[in-house]
């Protein structure tokens, strides 16, 4: 029997995100074919259903007592019902609590159930920290592999290779154990031919790493590309994307993240580390029944996992918790706050135990400043905030325009070619400039660094006058030729980073935005800091310096300006505020720099918000058409529920099911002829008095199961949703009772309810749909997508872009 769109037995799929493995090259179309009908059309796999089943089984299925496999679960690309999930968890908790008084075993089970959340957080922290350490070590080694190899052991990176060398401190990077490719192949590292060979090897390695990354993503896990934060925000809001947090995505993302970072592309690993941590959380949820079977509880775990991801990305456990609260999470109860803190703590401790950089720090660019800042320095700090806001707004507009072009033109059909071209351009432009040739994390570390006596960097080549040195602090000094050379190189690096990042973010490789944004800000900040330092040195008698900066004093710290600039640019792109300041504070370990960071972060946000309200993640959510209802936006329009509900005036009447007069055949016909995800149940078509709401998926599963296991269920059997069966002639076939799958308390509003209240209800309760009544009679329905479409229309956007465009 041909059953288009529905395969018998397919309802038995669990809620695991690992059930759906993406296949490369598959084109998924989630656009809605019928926009007019009144119900949400989210069901893809059950678009048509044909009855018919196996009769003759003697067992009678009691639908009230024995739960059916698949009932209460969700299809792919559906929104979960938060109210129902929380209600189910409360019922489960009440049952465990009542049973705990009956026996010792039940009491032990109750204690283990209460402790399971903390145990899960421990596992997530351990796994996320271990994977972060593996990624850091591997990326550091493979980045250095582009320039040479260690003879003492090919698995050593440049720094580790030279640890045991007897070279002097100034020549610590030129140890005999480390050979560049020209030294290895030609026997010498000087001259034009050696330079060309090193250049060639650098470009070849970069292309090899990036091509391997994009081919692995395309072939095994298409969901492993990009940052992952926009999709995680959408998933945490209640949307289901199967496979996005599965084991294949975790494996491929971990491997390709190392390859993408090592290729030298203008991207970071911080955003993808949040995705990796959430994959760990989702997979480990399957060890515990209460998280495996409840989508709302699982999202609490994913919020904590996101905190652990930022914790290992920046070595900032508190910043990670605040990032999850401010930027990612949709539902964040106090209990999740504590568990997020614990997961972030364990993850940071695990990474510290691994010590991937060999400096007892969690990140490569950890720095400590000890010099105080002066009040007048707030002016350049605010200028950096303005630059960060302008850069953030420019980047978001440019990147979204490029990504939209990628989606709507032939460019999107050639992801491998795109990665190849962008990597080739990046590598060719990066090699001649030492500040773009090094990894972005090393660049940020160099820019944040406060020059000391032993520093051999060009940024620290000042004209030394050691007679004026006081203790460990070096005074402001005149810039030497090395500093001027570094300034030109940094200016060129800034231009390259600003433009190449626009085309890199969004390609089909794992790509984070934190590090490139911080690099742009750090370069701008260092340039401004050195300029201020030289101004103070040569013009210390100016009125702006005379009160606090005397000749021979250490007044300006250029590294601090770099740090403030990094925070400003990151804030301009992501629109983070509190979590950003705390992350930067944890990076530097200096409490006295909180005010400059706050000033730059707030200025950056104000300037960027004045140009465009959306951060980069919200912009990508809208670009992809994800059904995400932003909790931060105010709804200020004066529309009513009747303006948004369906059916509209010229639409067919609302499709309903009566509570006790329709046969199995009638219900199957409704399922066959419509693609709605659920149906209101009414007393009768004439009265339209509301009884409840039943989901399409639950109906299909229950009817199919009854045909197989319940004796006497045929096409003419009456389906009833009441407590007692309706009176029928003795010769009638067996009736099918489906009251257990009926939601008896669906949310309802009247047709005159203002839409601002309806939008608030959808945001705060996480509803899928809301029924509209008039004088107690069912009138229509409003779904989450109807709300999103209405908001898009009022904002003069395309309403048909909503839901996985």
């Amino acid at each position: 029997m041909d059953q288009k769109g529905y395969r018998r037995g397919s309802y038995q799929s669990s809620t695991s995100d690992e059930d759906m493995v993406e296949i490369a090259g598959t084109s998924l179309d989630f656009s809605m074919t019928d926009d007019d009908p009144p119900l949400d059309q989210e069901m893809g796999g059950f678009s048509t259903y044909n009855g018919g089943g196996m009769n003759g089984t003697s067992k009678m299925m009691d639908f009230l007592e024995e739960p059916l496999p698949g009932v209460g679960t969700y299809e792919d690309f559906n929104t979960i019902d938060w109210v129902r999930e929380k209600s189910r968890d409360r019922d489960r908790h009440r049952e465990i609590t009542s049973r705990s008084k009956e026996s010792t075993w039940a009491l032990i089970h109750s204690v283990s159930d209460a402790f399971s959340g903390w145990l899960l957080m421990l596992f997530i922290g351990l796994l996320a920290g271990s994977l972060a350490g593996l990624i850091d070590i591997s990326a550091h080694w493979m980045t250095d592999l582009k320039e040479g190899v260690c003879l003492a052991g090919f698995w050593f990176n440049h720094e580790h290779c030279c640890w045991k060398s007897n070279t002097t401190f100034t020549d610590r990077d030129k140890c005999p154990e480390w050979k560049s490719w020209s030294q290895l192949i030609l026997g010498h590292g000087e001259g034009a031919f050696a330079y060309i060979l090193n250049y060639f090897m650098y470009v070849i390695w970069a292309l090899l790493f990036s091509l391997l990354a994009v081919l692995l993503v395309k072939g095994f896990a298409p969901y492993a590309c990009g940052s992952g934060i926009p999709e995680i925000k959408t998933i945490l809001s209640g949307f289901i994307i199967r496979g996005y947090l599965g084991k294949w995505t975790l494996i491929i993302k971990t491997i390709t993240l190392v390859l993408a970072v090592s290729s030298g592309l203008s991207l970071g690993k911080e955003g993808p580390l949040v995705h990796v941590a959430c994959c760990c959380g989702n997979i480990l949820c399957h060890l515990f029944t209460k998280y495996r079977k409840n989508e709302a509880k699982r999202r609490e775990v994913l919020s904590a996992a996101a905190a652990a991801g930022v914790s290992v990305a920046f070595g900032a456990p508190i910043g990670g918790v605040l990032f999850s609260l401010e930027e990612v999470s949709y539902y964040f109860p106090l209990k999740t706050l504590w568990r997020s803190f614990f997961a972030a703590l364990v993850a940071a401790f695990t990474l510290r135990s691994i010590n991937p950089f060999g400096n007892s720090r969690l990140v490569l660019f950890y720095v400590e400043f000890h010099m105080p800042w002066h009040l007048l320095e707030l002016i350049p700090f605010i200028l950096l905030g303005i630059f960060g806001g302008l850069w953030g707004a420019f980047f978001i507009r440019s990147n979204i325009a490029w990504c939209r072009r990628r989606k709507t033109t032939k460019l999107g059909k050639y992801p491998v070619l795109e990665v190849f071209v962008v990597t080739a351009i990046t590598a060719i432009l990066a090699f001649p400039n030492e500040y773009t040739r090094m990894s972005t994390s090393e660049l940020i570390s160099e820019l944040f660094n406060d020059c000391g006596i032993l520093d051999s960097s060009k940024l620290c080549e000042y004209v030394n006058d050691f007679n004026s040195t006081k203790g460990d602090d070096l005074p402001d000094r005149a810039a030497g030729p090395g500093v001027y050379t570094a300034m030109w190189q940094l200016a060129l690096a800034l231009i390259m980073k600003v433009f190449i990042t626009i085309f890199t973010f969004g390609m089909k490789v794992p790509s984070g935005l934190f590090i490139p944004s911080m690099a742009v800000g750090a370069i701008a900040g260092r340039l401004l800091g050195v300029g201020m330092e030289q101004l103070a040195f040569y013009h210390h008698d100016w009125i702006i310096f005379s009160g606090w900066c005397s000749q021979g004093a250490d007044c300006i710290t250029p590294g601090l300006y770099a740090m403030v600039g990094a925070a400003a640019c990151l804030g301009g792109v992501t629109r983070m505020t509190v979590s950003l300041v705390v992350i930067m504070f944890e990076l530097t370990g200096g409490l006295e720099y909180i005010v400059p960071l706050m000033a730059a972060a707030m200025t950056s946000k104000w300037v960027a918000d004045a140009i465009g309200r959306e951060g980069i993640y919200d912009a990508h959510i809208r670009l992809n058409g994800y059904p995400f209802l932003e909790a931060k936006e105010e709804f200020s329009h004066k529309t009513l529920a009747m303006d948004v509900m369906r059916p509209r005036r010229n639409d067919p009447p609302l499709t309903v099911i009566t509570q006790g007069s329709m046969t199995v055949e009638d219900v199957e016909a409704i399922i066959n002829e419509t693609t709605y995800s659920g149906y209101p149940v009414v007393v009768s078509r004439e009265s339209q008095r509301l009884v409840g709401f039943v989901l399409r998926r639950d109906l299909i599963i229950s009817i199919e199961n009854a045909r197989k296991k319940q004796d006497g269920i045929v096409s003419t059997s009456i389906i009833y949703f009441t407590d007692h069966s309706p009176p029928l002639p003795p010769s009638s076939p067996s009736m099918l009772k489906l009251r257990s799958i009926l939601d008896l308390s669906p949310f309802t509003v009247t047709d005159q309810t203002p839409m601002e209240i309806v939008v608030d209800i959808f945001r705060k309760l996480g509803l899928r749909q809301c029924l509209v009544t008039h004088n107690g009679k069912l009138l229509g329905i409003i779904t989450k997508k109807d709300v999103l479409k209405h908001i898009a229309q009022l904002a003069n956007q395309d309403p048909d872009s909503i839901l996985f465009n």
Side-chain angles (χ1 to χ4, degrees):
M1 184 179 292
D2 182 24
Q3 298 185 10
K4 180 185 174 186
Y6 172 70
R7 189 180 73 246
R8 187 180 306 283
S10 65
Y11 63 79
Q12 305 238 5
S13 65
S14 71
T15 58
S16 165
D17 276 356
E18 302 172 40
D19 292 325
M20 174 181 156
V21 178
E22 290 297 314
I23 299 172
T26 305
S27 177
L28 300 174
D29 181 17
F30 303 108
S31 59
M32 295 179 289
T33 55
D34 184 7
D35 265 334
D36 293 330
L39 280 175
D40 200 2
Q41 304 173 27
E42 294 178 344
M43 297 294 291
F46 295 105
S47 59
T48 308
Y49 169 78
N50 197 348
M54 298 164 61
N55 294 326
T57 310
S58 59
K59 180 186 175 186
M60 174 71 77
M61 172 67 69
D62 187 342
F63 286 87
L64 285 172
E65 296 299 327
E66 189 173 333
L68 298 177
V71 168
T73 60
Y74 303 93
E75 276 302 296
D76 201 11
F77 304 107
N78 263 280
T79 303
I80 71 167
D81 189 333
W82 285 89
V83 175
R84 183 170 74 163
E85 295 297 306
K86 296 302 292 180
S87 176
R88 285 166 58 186
D89 183 62
R90 280 194 297 270
D91 291 343
R92 183 197 64 81
H93 189 262
R94 272 195 294 265
E95 184 181 354
I96 290 175
T97 305
S98 63
R99 285 184 179 177
S100 64
K101 301 169 185 175
E102 298 173 3
S103 66
T104 307
W105 175 249
L107 181 63
I108 293 171
H109 175 64
S110 174
V111 172
S112 67
D113 180 77
F115 186 68
S116 62
W118 295 100
L119 190 62
L120 179 56
M121 294 304 120
L122 177 67
F123 290 158
I124 290 170
L126 291 170
L127 185 55
S130 302
L131 287 176
L134 177 67
I135 289 168
D136 285 338
I137 292 168
S138 305
H140 203 173
W141 170 66
M142 291 175 70
T143 300
D144 288 346
L145 192 63
K146 291 185 299 186
E147 297 185 33
V149 69
C150 184
L151 298 181
F154 72 91
W155 55 88
F156 289 125
N157 62 40
H158 193 170
E159 185 181 355
H160 291 171
C161 186
C162 296
W163 269 357
K164 296 180 181 178
S165 176
N166 294 322
T167 52
T168 61
F169 185 81
T170 52
D171 294 328
R172 61 190 181 280
D173 291 335
K174 300 175 183 176
C175 62
E177 290 86 356
W178 180 265
K179 298 290 184 185
S180 68
W181 291 110
S182 61
Q183 290 173 324
L184 207 62
I185 296 169
L186 300 177
H188 63 88
E190 305 296 328
F193 191 64
Y195 180 84
I196 292 169
L197 181 62
N198 284 332
Y199 201 152
F200 176 75
M201 291 301 293
Y202 181 91
V203 175
I204 289 297
W205 277 112
L207 290 172
L208 178 67
F209 291 155
S210 63
L211 284 176
L212 190 55
V214 71
L215 290 171
L216 283 171
V217 167
K218 189 170 182 285
F220 295 97
Y223 284 155
C225 68
S227 164
I229 291 179
E231 287 76 12
I232 286 167
K233 282 187 74 168
T234 309
I235 289 170
L236 289 178
S237 76
F239 196 58
I240 288 180
I241 310 176
R242 295 216 185 282
Y244 199 84
L245 300 175
K247 57 180 179 290
W248 272 110
T249 305
L250 174 64
I251 294 167
I252 298 301
K253 186 117 187 178
T254 304
I255 296 169
T256 54
L257 179 55
V258 173
L259 292 166
V261 170
S262 305
S263 69
L265 285 166
S266 184
L267 48 82
K269 62 180 183 296
E270 280 64 24
L273 274 174
V274 176
H275 188 185
V276 166
C278 286
C279 287
C280 296
N282 180 65
I283 291 167
L284 291 170
C285 274
H286 297 294
L287 300 175
F288 302 91
T289 309
K290 78 172 179 180
Y291 295 107
R292 183 175 69 246
K293 292 187 175 181
N294 192 293
E295 292 289 349
K297 294 294 289 180
R298 190 185 303 195
R299 273 149 183 77
E300 292 179 23
V301 172
L302 296 181
S303 292
V310 175
S311 172
V312 292
F314 287 106
I318 303 171
V321 175
L322 291 174
F323 174 82
S324 180
L325 174 61
E326 180 183 357
E327 189 64 26
V328 180
S329 296
Y330 195 82
Y331 173 68
F332 204 85
L334 191 60
K335 179 172 59 178
T336 304
L337 180 72
W338 301 333
R339 289 180 176 171
S340 299
F341 183 75
F342 180 64
L345 173 70
V346 173
F349 175 77
T350 305
L351 187 62
R352 171 66 181 79
S353 303
I354 295 170
N355 195 14
F357 302 111
N359 60 358
S360 301
R361 302 297 183 190
L362 302 182
V363 285
L364 195 58
F365 42 85
Y366 182 90
V367 66
E368 285 185 1
F369 300 127
H370 300 291
M371 287 306 299
W373 58 277
H374 194 268
L375 191 63
L376 285 171
E377 287 186 277
L378 275 180
I379 297 170
F381 293 153
I382 288 172
L383 287 175
L384 284 172
I386 294 170
F387 171 78
L390 293 171
W391 144 252
F394 166 74
F395 174 80
I396 291 168
R397 289 198 174 185
S398 306
N399 180 253
I400 292 298
W402 178 251
C403 289
R404 185 174 287 115
R405 184 177 181 82
R406 183 189 288 128
K407 289 170 76 72
T408 55
T409 62
K410 289 184 178 179
L411 180 68
K413 297 180 181 177
Y414 305 102
V416 178
L417 181 63
E418 183 189 10
V419 170
F420 179 87
V421 171
V422 173
T423 307
I425 293 170
T426 305
I428 290 167
L429 293 176
F431 187 83
N433 188 338
E434 66 175 283
Y435 291 110
T436 49
R437 188 192 315 162
M438 66 176 66
S439 75
T440 316
S441 293
E442 288 176 348
L443 170 62
I444 293 171
S445 177
E446 184 129 329
L447 293 169
F448 280 9
N449 184 41
D450 188 19
C451 289
I453 297 173
L454 296 175
D455 277 309
S456 57
S457 164
K458 274 199 290 189
L459 279 171
C460 296
E461 282 189 22
Y462 289 91
V463 177
N464 285 313
D465 180 11
F466 290 111
N467 293 329
S468 60
T469 301
K470 300 172 184 175
D472 293 331
D473 295 328
L474 289 174
D476 288 344
R477 298 161 289 166
V483 174
Y484 289 115
T485 306
M487 291 300 101
W488 278 109
Q489 289 180 326
L490 283 175
L492 292 172
L494 177 64
I495 295 168
M496 177 190 161
K497 291 280 184 189
V498 162
F499 288 101
I500 205 73
T501 308
I502 292 169
F503 302 100
T504 306
F505 187 70
M507 292 197 307
K508 299 303 177 189
V509 292
S511 53
L513 194 56
F514 283 31
I515 289 295
S517 300
M518 288 177 67
V520 168
I523 293 171
R526 188 77 186 204
L527 290 173
L528 181 61
V530 172
M532 286 289 295
E533 183 186 45
Q534 294 306 298
L535 205 62
F537 178 77
Y538 286 110
H539 303 284
H540 56 84
D541 53 345
W542 282 11
I543 192 167
I544 57 170
F545 298 119
S546 59
W548 57 282
C549 187
S550 58
Q551 188 173 13
D554 184 12
C555 308
I556 308 291
T557 307
L560 173 60
Y561 284 72
M563 186 182 76
V564 172
C569 281
L570 185 54
V573 172
T574 62
R575 309 297 161 87
M576 295 190 299
T577 51
V578 180
S579 54
L580 172 63
V581 171
V582 173
I583 286 170
M584 298 304 293
F585 150 61
E586 288 187 86
L587 275 178
T588 56
L591 270 170
E592 67 241 53
Y593 304 116
I594 282 185
V595 173
L597 289 170
M598 289 172 72
M602 283 311 304
T603 308
S604 168
K605 180 174 171 57
W606 285 334
V607 171
D609 280 348
I611 301 171
R613 295 287 298 172
E614 291 180 317
I616 186 67
Y617 301 129
D618 295 326
H620 272 272
I621 285 172
R622 186 164 59 83
L623 175 70
N624 291 322
Y626 298 139
F628 180 77
L629 199 53
E630 179 57 70
K632 300 170 190 171
E633 294 292 328
E634 290 292 327
F635 186 87
S636 56
H637 302 276
K638 293 184 177 180
T639 48
L640 301 175
M642 64 185 297
D643 301 323
V644 181
M645 73 173 195
R646 291 186 286 172
R648 309 271 163 76
R649 284 180 182 174
N650 299 323
D651 288 348
L654 188 66
T655 304
V656 296
I657 295 174
T658 57
Q659 68 172 353
S661 59
M662 296 183 75
T663 63
V664 170
E665 190 175 35
D666 295 334
V667 174
E668 286 174 347
I670 288 175
I671 294 171
N672 244 347
E673 292 163 8
T674 61
T675 54
Y676 311 143
S677 65
Y679 307 92
V681 177
V682 296
V683 174
S684 67
R685 293 186 186 278
E686 293 75 27
S687 74
Q688 288 290 307
R689 280 175 51 215
L690 184 64
V691 176
F693 192 84
V694 63
L695 293 178
R696 172 196 181 92
R697 175 180 172 84
D698 292 353
L699 268 178
I700 291 173
I701 292 170
S702 300
I703 293 173
E704 182 70 15
N705 201 73
R707 281 186 177 276
K708 289 180 179 179
K709 299 182 179 179
Q710 188 168 330
D711 195 21
I713 297 298
V714 293
S715 295
T716 55
S717 297
I718 295 290
I719 292 179
Y720 66 99
F721 294 92
T722 54
D723 275 328
H724 306 289
S725 59
L728 288 174
S731 59
S732 300
S734 299
M735 290 186 292
L736 178 56
K737 182 177 181 179
L738 295 182
R739 186 175 178 82
S740 62
I741 65 169
L742 181 66
D743 180 5
L744 290 166
S745 55
F747 272 85
T748 59
V749 295
T750 67
D751 55 343
Q752 296 300 309
T753 305
M755 271 307 293
E756 59 184 318
I757 294 177
V758 175
V759 171
D760 247 12
I761 291 172
F762 270 89
R763 280 176 180 158
K764 292 175 179 175
L765 295 179
L767 299 184
R768 299 179 78 191
Q769 68 277 318
C770 180
L771 300 173
V772 183
T773 60
H774 176 73
N775 292 338
K777 292 185 177 181
L778 180 65
L779 196 64
I781 188 168
I782 299 174
T783 65
K784 187 176 181 180
K785 270 186 295 195
D786 292 330
V787 173
L788 287 163
K789 283 187 174 187
H790 182 63
I791 292 172
Q793 274 179 323
L794 294 173
N796 295 319
Q797 297 165 2
D798 178 18
D800 293 328
S801 66
I802 302 300
L803 181 64
F804 245 87
N805 205 343

